[in-house]
Amino acid sequence: MRRESNKASLNPDAATLQRMLYYLKLTREAEYRIERVLYRQGKIVGGVFTSRGQEAITVGTAIQLIAGDVVTPTHRDFAAHVIRGISLQEIFCNWLGRVGAPTRGRDGGPHIGDIRRRIIAPVSPVGAWCAVACGAAMALQRQGKGNIALTFFGEGTSARGDVHEAMNLAAVMKLPVVFVCNNNAYAYSMPAEKEYAVESLAVRGPAYGMPGVSVDGNDVLAVYAASRKAIARARGGKGPSLIECRTFRMTGHSAHDAAEYVPEELKRQWKKKDPIDRFEKWLLARRIMTRAGIKALDAAIQKELDEAIAQAEASRLPEGRDTLEGVYCGPECWWGNPSVARGPQSVATH
Amino acid sequence: MPTKLTRQQHQDLYYFLRLNRRVDEQLVALYRQGKVVGGVYSSLGQEAISVGTAYALAPQDLIGPVIRNVGAMLIRGFRPRDLFLQYMGRRDGPTGGRDANTHFGDVARGVIAPISMLGETVPVMAGIALAAKIRGENRVAVAYVGDGAMSTGPCHEGMNFAAVQKLSLLIVAENNGWAYSTPIEKQMAVRDMAERAKAYGIPAVTVDGNDALAVYAATRKALARMRRGGGPEMIECQTMRMKGHAEHDDARYVPKKVFEAWRRKDPILRYERYLIAKKLMTGDEKAAIEERIESEIRADVAFAEASPFPAPEEAARPVFA
Amino acid sequence: MPVMTYLDAIRQGIWEEMERDPNVFLLGEDIGAYGGAFKVTAGMLEKFGEARVIDTPICESAIVGAAVGAALMGLRPVAEMQFMDFISCGFDQIVNMAAKIHYRWGPAVPLVIRGPSGAGVHGGPFHSQSNEMWFVHTPGLKVVIPATAYDAKGLIKAAIRDDNPVIFFEHKYLYRRIKEEVPEDDYTVPLGQAAVRREGRDITVITYGAMVWTALEAAAELEKEGLSLEVVDLRTLLPYDEQAVLASVRRCNKVILLHEDTRTGGMAGELAALITEKAFEDLDGPIVRVTAPDTPVPFSPPLEEYFLPNAQKVIEAARRLAEY
């Protein structure tokens, strides 16, 4: 492991490091169940998007969020949900289209949101949420408690006008936003060189007047260190930053895509840089974890998943006519935004 | 300023600069007489950008002007009467009264009409450059982008696309300091529009937009690189919008001394002084040019004023080709 | 009671909501220092400060998106589109973010997107559109179009207090051309309710926005011929007041559907289908539509005049319908 991560390791304490390993492995195993088990059994329908190989990006950043922070995950940020407190059962309910899901069966898979936990659900027009993150950040800026908005987008998404407008707006208004670009080398079948013509997307940062850095996205400690700086900047009122995390999409675009357009050699090379293997080795070398401990962790994760999936599978599917409900938010908004002010009130605090 | 312009070309440039300004002044006069339909959007102070860039182009190139690029449209072959007819909504204008002000074009003359939604010409001009690339044609597409337009999503998408595809797209970034009442510091958090080009890997230069020859020279250089297959380029021309957003806007939000300072840098007076000093234009030649312009303007105003309004039924003409 | 223009009534309504609820804030282009292109927000920056009256870059998509984000956090943004024509630049954020969030994952998105729309001022194709139907066709949104100064104030206040995303179309032709007494107190006009502007017996004209005045003009003229027109102002297009529409049809038995918007895909088509479905027995003649033709809004005055519905066109349609 390189020097940066040695220095960075001074920051996360042992407990945090262990939590990071847990979330990395949980993501990997949960997504395995989603893509390779439930989907293949025909129990999950629709698009199946996972973050295989890119887990370090979500974990290294989101692990640093505190109460009151907002996150806008993409469809490849599984860990963001669990870190912010969504239960595995709720996540599997969402994949299985159950009533108990955060979207009550109205939206699928990774399109999870929960305003009480400050998770803003993605939409399919990628990048649209970056501007939404800016709006949330405006509210956080007003509240003045040092909270931030963490927003993710892919290198393909970086080509979208919405991302441009959001970054410019955040820079002009010095909003507390951290922009994290998951550069996983492919946007569906488009290799990165078809999405942008610069060496690294980090240069997009200074083009708007914010810092931009590029890190090894498969090194969770490098991701942690870079985002720690950006988060501190935002909390300190200094405005937004951009972090490009270079990684590789180890699956197809989605479960139905065999990604034959990706050269085999590339897949082989990146397999050797697997973020979880690397981190495990690093933790073992420093005796922060033991082999027995990791084995126990693996078993505990399997058990957690077994239970969550069983509960989700046993839970109720929505009735057809449930479709008609909840188009509008009435006086009793279901899972409504508890901070929506209905009259003269002081600025919502939560 | 090393340029390879002949004496005649220098005077042509002067002619177009002066013509641009006179057309502008005439539009304001018509507006004050109540003859203009809608608003008048002046290009006062920015003429060197439109004229300096457009004059450098070859006949096969195309431009995507916006509201203050009248000078470029004149160079491409439109006449003052076209502007008067458009602004007055007359039948014989380029759009037959269907659209207003500079919202007109002609593919044959290489002008792609703008729409009001800023930034949206950029992907369109990128598409024109793409067509040229597919057909192996030596054509450059020029998109004029203001400081406000550069904040828009479509502008970003167009520039990025052009960079990835290595298209011959020239972005003329017209930094006139204001987007309606929004000053540049509320529009972006970097100093120069040229900073944006780095986000796409597009080479950019920043020039004095009130120096016609500097604009011209930078354009020639960029064109040469693009014609060799170098991909998109940006030229940021820094200038000042010398009036409000439109005639109805008195621009009280601009400090008076800003206007005063820029008035001293008037692009046409500068160029005139340069030509006279370098003996590239005599007093007589200048007078001849101005007289020629006056008679054109007079004839074109008369023509436009006498031109009928379109027949009402024209509105319901089928919308499909 | 003060007499106010339609524009001042809107301004008053926004002002009152800004005073009443510190969560309400404004964002848009040129709305602060400049007071807005039409001066709807004049004086608000000075009164409420930069944090609550935000001048943005040109970024309609980010304006709407940011409004969504702020709304999710409990603020109540009122985003201005300098001209509602520019709303298309933020279309995706409206239809895919704002409109669907509550349905999909629960929280409210209490935002208002407002701005001047409509023709009759020589604005040309991009400053004259009536694009309400893009949004009437999007479940999850509410679409409001006031026709009077009184309603303009009451409806903007109601829209700001509504917990759903509301698209609020102000008609720029009406801005300074109509005025009336507008109460100074804190009143609202409910969304989703139509208003009968003029009672009649023979034919009902169902309409909204600036065309309400066109219908009233036609009605006054036809009165002289002994033809009694009722005029119903929809006020909200989504959700629209079905009951009021059907009740009026049952009273008059003949109906003209009038809007400034273009014909195909316009509100008249939707209402015609409703009326045929639910009040067929009450009709004594065919449903008639008076609308703009299916073209962009042209610029030159004779073209625009031809394009726009006017009192004369309504009168002629009414006379023909009266024959049945």
Side-chain angles (χ1 to χ4, degrees):
Chain A
M1 197 117 319
R2 273 171 298 179
R3 280 202 65 77
E4 305 112 59
S5 29
N6 282 333
K7 281 196 217 130
S9 72
L10 292 173
N11 282 322
D13 57 22
T16 304
L17 291 165
Q18 285 168 0
R19 278 180 69 222
M20 283 159 73
L21 183 68
Y22 164 72
Y23 286 122
L24 287 169
K25 284 174 164 288
L26 180 64
T27 303
R28 179 71 56 93
E29 294 307 309
E31 290 188 331
Y32 178 87
R33 300 287 191 107
I34 289 165
E35 190 186 22
R36 306 273 169 97
V37 180
L38 294 166
Y39 177 70
R40 300 232 172 118
Q41 290 170 351
K43 292 175 178 172
I44 285 179
V45 297
V48 174
F49 301 90
T50 64
S51 57
R52 182 186 220 74
Q54 306 141 74
E55 300 93 341
I57 297 168
T58 316
V59 172
T61 50
I63 198 96
Q64 300 181 63
L65 296 174
I66 62 175
D69 287 342
V70 170
V71 64
T72 71
T74 69
H75 46 290
R76 301 197 201 280
D77 293 301
F78 181 97
H81 298 119
V82 275
I83 288 172
R84 299 299 277 167
I86 307 259
S87 71
L88 285 172
Q89 183 185 348
E90 285 174 285
I91 292 176
F92 284 105
C93 277
N94 216 65
W95 282 98
L96 295 166
R98 300 299 208 254
V99 163
T103 65
R104 298 219 282 195
R106 282 125 186 260
D107 206 344
H111 283 191
I112 290 172
D114 181 339
I115 200 62
R116 289 161 305 187
R117 294 168 188 147
R118 304 277 175 113
I119 302 168
I120 295 178
V123 289
S124 297
V126 289
W129 53 79
C130 292
V132 180
C134 286
M138 282 182 200
L140 296 173
Q141 194 177 52
R142 260 181 141 209
Q143 286 167 14
K145 292 194 205 154
N147 285 120
I148 64 147
L150 174 64
T151 185
F152 297 90
F153 60 95
E155 85 287 347
T157 301
S158 75
R160 289 213 63 217
D162 279 5
V163 176
H164 166 77
E165 294 193 6
M167 289 184 69
N168 186 44
L169 189 67
V172 167
M173 295 184 64
K174 278 180 119 79
L175 297 175
V177 183
V178 175
F179 291 92
V180 179
C181 177
N182 172 344
N183 187 339
N184 66 10
Y186 277 87
Y188 211 138
S189 70
M190 291 287 104
E193 63 264 21
K194 293 212 160 167
E195 299 288 352
Y196 55 84
V198 288
E199 269 293 308
S200 157
L201 286 172
V203 303
R204 294 270 161 98
Y208 296 104
M210 71 174 85
V213 296
S214 187
V215 298
D216 178 354
N218 283 26
D219 178 347
V220 71
L221 294 171
V223 172
Y224 184 96
S227 48
R228 187 179 173 80
K229 256 173 118 169
I231 289 170
R233 218 183 100 81
R235 291 203 200 290
K238 302 256 176 47
S241 309
L242 170 66
I243 304 168
E244 177 197 36
C245 301
R246 298 180 314 269
T247 181
F248 197 79
R249 196 189 72 199
M250 296 302 289
T251 59
H253 169 63
S254 63
H256 70 261
D257 172 33
E260 283 144 357
Y261 44 80
V262 177
E264 281 307 312
E265 180 52 33
L266 261 184
K267 292 184 197 170
R268 268 196 297 275
Q269 277 173 23
W270 279 93
K271 191 148 200 322
K272 296 186 203 147
K273 303 193 229 182
D274 184 276
I276 300 179
D277 290 343
R278 284 166 84 176
F279 191 47
E280 235 184 56
K281 288 199 189 91
W282 188 88
L283 291 170
L284 286 168
R286 278 155 190 73
R287 304 206 205 293
I288 295 169
M289 298 269 322
T290 62
R291 287 203 192 284
I294 290 178
K295 212 166 158 205
L297 179 62
D298 287 338
I301 286 172
Q302 292 305 322
K303 185 157 178 286
E304 249 192 297
L305 290 171
D306 290 339
E307 276 167 20
I309 291 171
Q311 279 163 353
E313 282 194 273
S315 75
R316 191 164 74 79
L317 279 163
E319 299 275 329
R321 56 168 193 277
D322 289 349
T323 304
L324 301 176
E325 281 169 29
V327 174
Y328 285 129
C329 189
E332 296 292 326
C333 277
W334 62 269
W335 295 337
N337 184 344
S339 58
V340 168
R342 282 180 175 75
Q345 280 174 36
S346 56
V347 172
T349 52
H350 38 74
Chain B
M1 170 62 59
T3 61
K4 296 200 196 82
L5 290 169
T6 64
R7 187 192 179 80
Q8 183 56 54
Q9 285 173 318
H10 274 292
Q11 293 188 17
D12 278 350
L13 264 177
Y14 183 74
Y15 161 79
F16 281 112
L17 286 167
R18 274 278 170 220
L19 185 66
N20 188 168
R21 183 153 302 177
R22 284 295 296 123
V23 166
D24 210 80
E25 287 167 357
Q26 188 59 56
L27 284 169
V28 173
L30 289 169
Y31 178 83
R32 301 232 170 100
Q33 292 162 28
K35 293 175 180 167
V36 165
V37 181
V40 169
Y41 301 83
S42 170
S43 49
L44 185 66
Q46 302 180 215
E47 299 92 345
I49 298 170
S50 294
V51 171
T53 49
Y55 195 71
L57 301 177
Q60 72 272 20
D61 300 328
L62 292 101
I63 62 169
V66 280
I67 199 82
R68 302 189 208 282
N69 299 116
V70 168
M73 299 172 95
L74 293 170
I75 287 176
R76 300 305 283 181
F78 284 104
R79 305 301 311 142
R81 66 180 55 184
D82 294 318
L83 277 311
F84 305 145
L85 290 163
Q86 274 287 109
Y87 267 97
M88 294 197 291
R90 303 299 168 97
R91 182 193 70 192
D92 298 319
T95 68
R98 292 171 153 215
D99 206 343
N101 49 67
T102 64
H103 289 188
F104 63 93
D106 178 11
V107 180
R109 276 178 274 191
V111 180
I112 304 301
I115 63 173
S116 299
M117 290 72 188
L118 297 176
E120 305 220 0
T121 51
V122 181
V124 174
M125 298 316 287
I128 287 177
L130 178 66
K133 181 178 169 195
I134 290 169
R135 293 196 187 124
E137 291 168 351
N138 175 5
R139 253 190 233 286
V140 170
V142 183
Y144 290 86
V145 172
D147 40 280
M150 188 145 286
S151 297
T152 68
C155 183
H156 166 80
E157 295 192 4
M159 289 201 288
N160 187 53
F161 182 69
V164 168
Q165 298 282 328
K166 273 181 116 67
L167 303 175
S168 295
L169 176 71
L170 174 63
I171 307 281
V172 177
E174 236 172 309
N175 186 342
N176 70 4
W178 297 85
Y180 211 145
S181 72
T182 309
I184 195 86
E185 57 269 16
K186 288 207 157 168
Q187 194 69 242
M188 57 179 72
V190 289
R191 210 177 56 106
D192 300 329
M193 288 169 82
E195 293 297 315
R196 283 290 156 77
K198 294 182 188 159
Y200 310 102
I202 294 177
V205 292
T206 299
V207 299
D208 177 354
N210 284 26
D211 180 343
L213 290 178
V215 172
Y216 175 83
T219 308
R220 298 274 326 157
K221 241 176 135 178
L223 289 168
R225 278 195 296 260
M226 283 187 286
R227 296 201 204 282
R228 286 196 296 269
E233 301 261 340
M234 181 191 292
I235 302 172
E236 178 186 8
C237 304
Q238 295 190 334
T239 183
M240 174 64 191
R241 194 192 73 198
M242 293 306 287
K243 286 186 153 188
H245 173 62
E247 279 304 298
H248 64 257
D249 169 31
D250 63 14
R252 61 186 62 182
Y253 43 80
V254 178
K256 295 260 181 295
K257 54 183 179 358
V258 171
F259 280 132
E260 276 153 29
W262 280 94
R263 229 166 261 134
R264 289 195 282 277
K265 303 193 236 181
D266 183 276
I268 300 182
L269 288 178
R270 277 171 83 172
Y271 192 55
E272 192 181 292
R273 273 185 237 123
Y274 173 83
L275 293 182
I276 303 277
K278 297 277 181 207
K279 305 212 198 303
L280 290 164
M281 181 171 74
T282 64
D284 283 347
E285 283 167 326
K286 170 177 172 321
I289 289 170
E290 281 162 11
E291 223 185 274
R292 181 180 147 208
I293 289 172
E294 281 322 298
S295 69
E296 277 181 50
I297 298 277
R298 260 198 314 273
D300 280 12
V301 169
F303 180 88
E305 283 184 319
S307 175
F309 279 97
E313 311 79 69
E314 285 294 296
R317 238 192 322 139
V319 289
F320 293 120
Chain C
M1 207 185 290
V3 170
M4 265 188 223
T5 62
Y6 177 95
L7 186 150
D8 282 335
I10 294 167
R11 187 163 162 274
Q12 182 68 25
I14 297 171
W15 191 287
E16 285 177 16
E17 292 306 294
M18 288 280 276
E19 278 184 327
R20 181 179 175 273
D21 183 353
N23 287 314
V24 177
F25 76 100
L26 313 178
L27 68 166
E29 297 161 20
D30 303 291
I31 62 165
Y34 197 68
F38 287 87
K39 305 299 177 195
V40 174
T41 53
M44 295 195 189
L45 174 66
E46 291 76 12
K47 164 80 179 175
F48 299 106
E50 259 187 1
R52 292 180 70 199
V53 181
I54 301 173
D55 270 331
T56 67
I58 304 179
C59 54
E60 282 77 12
S61 189
I63 288 170
V64 179
V68 170
L72 289 173
M73 300 299 291
L75 297 180
R76 304 190 83 94
V78 180
E80 178 177 298
M81 296 285 114
Q82 193 161 90
F83 285 81
M84 284 306 246
D85 306 65
F86 297 119
I87 206 169
S88 53
C89 302
F91 189 80
D92 186 65
Q93 294 281 1
I94 296 171
V95 303
N96 282 323
M97 275 288 184
K100 297 178 169 62
I101 281 176
H102 173 66
Y103 184 80
R104 290 164 55 236
W105 55 285
V109 184
L111 61 79
V112 175
I113 300 171
R114 53 154 293 273
S117 77
V121 298
H122 318 312
F126 307 109
H127 292 76
S128 313
Q129 293 175 78
S130 294
N131 40 37
E132 54 269 13
M133 295 312 286
W134 293 342
F135 306 105
V136 172
H137 191 63
T138 305
L141 299 176
K142 295 194 179 177
V143 179
V144 176
I145 310 188
T148 69
Y150 177 92
D151 279 356
K153 174 177 162 176
L155 285 169
I156 190 70
K157 285 163 71 79
I160 291 172
R161 295 184 201 184
D162 198 300
D163 288 336
N164 297 281
V166 180
I167 318 294
F168 192 88
F169 286 87
E170 301 158 6
H171 204 293
K172 65 175 80 67
Y173 186 84
L174 297 179
Y175 267 163
R176 293 180 215 279
R177 283 184 184 80
I178 60 168
K179 52 173 101 134
E180 62 175 314
E181 284 192 338
V182 176
E184 279 179 305
D185 57 305
D186 177 32
Y187 72 94
T188 58
V189 169
L191 268 53
Q193 263 188 42
V196 178
R197 292 287 170 214
R198 183 188 219 273
E199 280 174 11
R201 290 177 320 273
D202 301 321
I203 296 174
T204 177
V205 181
I206 302 175
T207 183
Y208 60 90
M211 287 293 124
V212 169
W213 299 94
T214 301
L216 290 171
E217 201 188 314
E221 193 54 39
L222 287 167
E223 185 84 65
K224 303 175 192 165
E225 298 169 25
L227 201 52
S228 163
L229 252 54
E230 177 154 298
V231 177
V232 175
D233 176 4
L234 287 172
R235 304 199 292 191
T236 300
L237 263 57
L238 183 74
Y240 66 90
D241 191 345
E242 239 186 70
Q243 289 318 307
V245 168
L246 295 171
S248 186
V249 171
R250 289 184 187 121
R251 273 198 296 278
C252 301
N253 311 113
K254 288 177 181 167
V255 66
I256 291 174
L257 302 169
L258 170 65
H259 55 60
E260 186 186 304
D261 189 10
T262 59
R263 192 170 195 74
T264 302
M267 193 65 187
E270 163 63 29
L271 294 173
L274 171 82
I275 293 167
T276 314
E277 282 166 1
K278 302 205 175 165
F280 182 69
E281 310 296 333
D282 298 292
L283 287 172
D284 286 342
I287 298 171
V288 172
R289 292 188 288 178
V290 178
T291 71
D294 288 332
T295 74
V297 185
F299 163 68
S300 187
L303 298 180
E304 192 183 23
E305 212 185 287
Y306 182 90
F307 171 90
L308 288 173
N310 55 33
Q312 191 52 37
K313 291 174 185 171
V314 177
I315 288 168
E316 282 161 17
R319 285 182 185 142
R320 283 195 298 273
L321 188 51
E323 305 279 308
Y324 279 85

